[in-house]
């Protein structure tokens, strides 16, 4: 079983390894290498084939000249059937590798002299020899305008071996040097492409990971990459606009979620959230005060002056209460004509009662509901001290009970 799972794991790793994607740098390098090799190989074959073709043409012309010269020097040996001098000439020229084989025939067909190269050669050189010299060169020997014999001669290709060897070596070295030069040159040219692509991918990755949509791709000297950069920059600009709109909308929604739409002060959700923070371990004060406030005879205002006048009263109440709290405190409208406060730096009941007296004095001035009319308005206030080890519901219940107790007493 262990061997089975090990085998499965190894095969999975191999599949993943096979699926691993290569970089564009490697792809470009492979294409460049392959292109250079194919072009150089084609050039090598073309140059080598051209050289061999001209060698064959040169060798044919050389054989014409050699056979003509040799036949002229063998006239006397043919007429007098002088095999000694003929063989001596053949041997001297053959040793100099002027030809591969030569046979001198008399007019009656018998052999006067013969010379052949006895060296063993490979199949390739035999094939090359037969391509260069497909047939024996036949030359008629004339004396007094009559044919007195025939010379059959086959050229020697021993020097061709050295030529091919050195030409292949020189061509190969030259092609290798050209290949190295072209590879370096193409690498320099491709580097511009890779640098441009790296700049684009780096900027895009930066935008993706940092969400910084203010960055833009730089200009590029290559037309295609410049067009691509312009398109990407346009896309980033559009994303930046949409992101800014989304951020603004989220901020607006967050403000609306924790703000009373009529008075502009905090709503019940913001008040509860602040109270939970004050009771948490991160809360800055161990003891603080909660105030609950309820408008007196607010229903009478709505019934007498209308809901528009009632809304003006609530707005003015919110404005007056907001001016009385510090930055770290909270004032909120819980709903209807109910308001609440969190006083963070109030440590005892005496300080709370003094603050409540200030609130009452603040509302001694009537609230103007029209340009020529103002009405009196007062608040019934209840409070409770809160500690970190208490529950939110218990604190709210205590403050609310105290407020309604005061309302009954005032009646």
């Amino acid at each position: 079983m262990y061997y089975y799972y090990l085998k499965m794991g190894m095969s999975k790793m191999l599949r993943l390894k096979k699926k691993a994607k290569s970089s564009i740098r490697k792809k470009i390098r492979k294409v460049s290498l392959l292109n250079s090799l194919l072009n150089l190989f084609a050039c090598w074959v073309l140059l080598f084939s051209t050289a061999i073709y001209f060698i064959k043409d040169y060798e044919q012309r050389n054989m014409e000249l050699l056979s003509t010269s040799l036949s002229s020097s063998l006239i006397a040996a043919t007429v007098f059937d002088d095999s000694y001098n003929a063989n001596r000439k053949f041997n001297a020229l053959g040793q100099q590798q002027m030809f591969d084989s030569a046979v001198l025939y008399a007019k009656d067909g018998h052999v006067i002299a013969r010379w052949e190269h006895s060296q063993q050669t490979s199949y390739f050189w035999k094939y090359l020899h037969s391509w260069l010299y497909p047939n024996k060169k036949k030359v008629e020997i004339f004396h007094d305008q009559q044919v007195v014999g025939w010379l059959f001669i086959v050229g020697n290709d021993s020097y061709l071996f050295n030529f091919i060897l050195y030409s292949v070596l020189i061509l190969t070295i030259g092609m290798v040097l050209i290949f190295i030069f072209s590879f370096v040159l193409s690498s320099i040219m491709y580097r511009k492409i890779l640098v441009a692509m790296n700049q684009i991918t780096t900027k895009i990755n930066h935008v993706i990971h940092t969400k910084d949509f203010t960055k833009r791709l730089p200009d590029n000297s290559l037309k295609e990459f410049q067009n691509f950069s312009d398109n990407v920059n346009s896309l980033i600009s559009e994303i930046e606009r949409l992101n800014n709109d989304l951020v603004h909308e989220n901020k607006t929604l967050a403000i609306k979620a924790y703000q009373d739409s009529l008075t502009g002060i905090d709503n019940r959700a913001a008040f509860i959230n602040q109270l939970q923070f004050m009771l948490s371990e991160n809360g800055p004060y161990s003891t603080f005060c909660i105030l609950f406030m309820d408008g007196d005879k607010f229903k009478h205002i709505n019934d007498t002056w209308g809901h528009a006048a009632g809304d003006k009263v609530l707005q003015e109440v919110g404005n007056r209460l907001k001016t009385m709290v510090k930055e770290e405190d909270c004032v909120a409208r819980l709903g209807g004509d109910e308001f609440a406060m969190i006083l963070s730096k109030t440590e005892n009941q005496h300080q709370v009662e003094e603050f409540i007296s200030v609130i009452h004095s603040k509302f001694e001035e009537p609230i103007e509901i029209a340009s020529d009319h103002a009405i009196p308005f007062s608040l019934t206030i209840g409070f409770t001290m809160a500690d970190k080890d208490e529950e939110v519901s218990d604190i709210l219940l205590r403050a609310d009970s105290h407020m309604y107790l005061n309302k009954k007493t005032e009646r």
Side-chain angles (χ1 to χ4, degrees), residues 265-268 270-272 274-275 278 288-294 316-326 328-334 338-346 352 355-356 358-360 362-363 379-386 395-396 399-400 403:
I265 61 176
D266 292 342
N267 59 12
R268 176 181 286 273
F271 177 79
I272 297 299
Q274 180 67 15
L275 180 56
M278 296 292 289
F288 55 94
C289 179
I290 302 296
L291 267 64
F292 265 33
M293 293 163 280
D294 187 70
E316 181 61 22
V317 171
N319 291 334
R320 292 184 185 185
L321 292 176
K322 187 165 56 176
T323 61
M324 300 180 67
V325 295
K326 299 176 182 178
E328 64 267 20
D329 295 335
C330 174
V331 58
R333 180 188 175 213
L334 302 182
E338 293 183 350
F339 294 84
M341 278 187 182
I342 298 176
L343 304 177
S344 56
K345 290 186 178 181
T346 306
V352 177
F355 186 77
I356 291 174
V358 175
I359 294 176
H360 285 312
K362 191 81 171 175
F363 283 89
L379 295 170
T380 299
I381 304 173
F383 72 91
T384 183
M385 302 302 294
I395 297 172
L396 296 180
D400 191 53
M403 180 194 69

Side-chain angles (χ1 to χ4, degrees), residues 61-323:
R61 293 174 182 274
N62 188 53
M63 281 301 301
E64 288 285 347
L65 180 62
L66 176 64
S67 59
T68 301
S69 175
L70 184 58
S71 63
S72 298
S73 64
L74 291 174
I75 294 176
T78 305
V79 171
F80 296 105
D81 198 14
D82 188 357
S83 61
Y84 174 76
N85 285 323
N87 280 315
R88 189 166 61 85
K89 284 182 181 287
F90 282 172
N91 187 60
L93 295 175
Q95 292 296 330
Q96 296 177 18
Q97 298 182 346
M98 298 296 293
F99 48 78
D100 199 54
S101 65
V103 181
L104 179 62
Y105 290 94
K107 186 177 181 179
D108 58 3
H110 75 275
V111 177
I112 301 175
R114 179 191 300 272
W115 192 91
E116 290 185 2
H117 187 46
S118 60
Q119 183 178 354
Q120 298 292 327
T121 57
S122 64
Y123 175 79
F124 172 76
W125 292 109
K126 287 181 179 179
Y127 175 80
L128 187 62
H129 182 84
S130 62
W131 178 74
L132 284 173
Y133 311 108
N135 299 306
K136 292 181 179 181
K137 180 67 177 177
K138 179 181 179 181
V139 182
E140 294 178 337
I141 300 176
F142 289 91
H143 179 68
D144 292 337
Q145 297 182 350
Q146 293 184 359
V147 177
V148 295
W150 295 271
L151 173 64
F152 290 87
I153 186 171
V154 178
N156 183 272
D157 60 357
S158 59
Y159 73 95
L160 191 60
F161 174 79
N162 292 329
F163 172 80
I164 292 177
L165 178 64
Y166 286 113
S167 62
V168 167
L169 183 62
I170 293 171
L171 282 174
T172 303
I173 293 174
M175 292 303 172
V176 168
L177 293 176
I178 294 174
F179 171 75
I180 294 173
F181 176 76
S182 63
F183 177 74
V184 173
L185 185 62
S186 62
S187 298
I188 295 173
M189 295 176 64
Y190 287 137
R191 188 174 299 170
K192 290 186 177 181
I193 299 176
L194 295 174
V195 168
M197 295 188 68
N198 285 332
Q199 287 179 344
I200 292 173
T201 54
T202 300
K203 291 293 183 181
I204 292 176
N205 287 331
H206 175 78
V207 171
I208 291 173
H209 291 98
T210 63
K211 303 297 186 294
D212 182 7
F213 299 109
T214 61
K215 301 296 182 181
R216 295 294 183 270
L217 300 182
D219 293 336
N220 197 280
S221 58
L222 300 176
K223 180 180 178 181
E224 291 77 8
F225 282 102
Q226 181 61 46
N227 292 336
F228 182 74
S229 297
D230 292 340
N231 292 332
V232 172
N233 287 335
S234 299
L235 179 61
I236 294 176
S237 298
E238 181 66 17
I239 294 174
E240 181 183 15
R241 184 187 66 79
L242 294 174
N243 183 69
N244 291 337
D245 292 345
L246 181 61
V247 170
H248 177 72
E249 186 176 351
N250 288 338
K251 287 182 179 179
T252 303
L253 291 175
I255 292 173
K256 289 181 178 180
Y258 289 101
Q259 187 180 65
D260 181 62
S261 59
L262 179 62
T263 62
I265 61 176
D266 292 342
N267 59 12
R268 176 181 286 273
F271 177 79
I272 297 299
N273 187 61
Q274 180 67 15
L275 180 56
Q276 289 174 339
F277 170 73
M278 296 292 289
L279 294 173
S280 68
E281 294 181 356
N282 296 325
Y285 303 100
S286 59
T287 303
F288 55 94
C289 179
I290 302 296
L291 267 64
F292 265 33
M293 293 163 280
D294 187 70
D296 296 330
K297 299 179 183 180
F298 181 72
K299 184 177 182 302
H300 176 71
I301 296 174
N302 277 335
D303 294 341
T304 305
W305 303 99
H307 289 281
D311 289 346
K312 285 188 176 182
V313 170
L314 293 176
Q315 290 172 349
E316 181 61 22
V317 171
N319 291 334
R320 292 184 185 185
L321 292 176
K322 187 165 56 176
T323 61

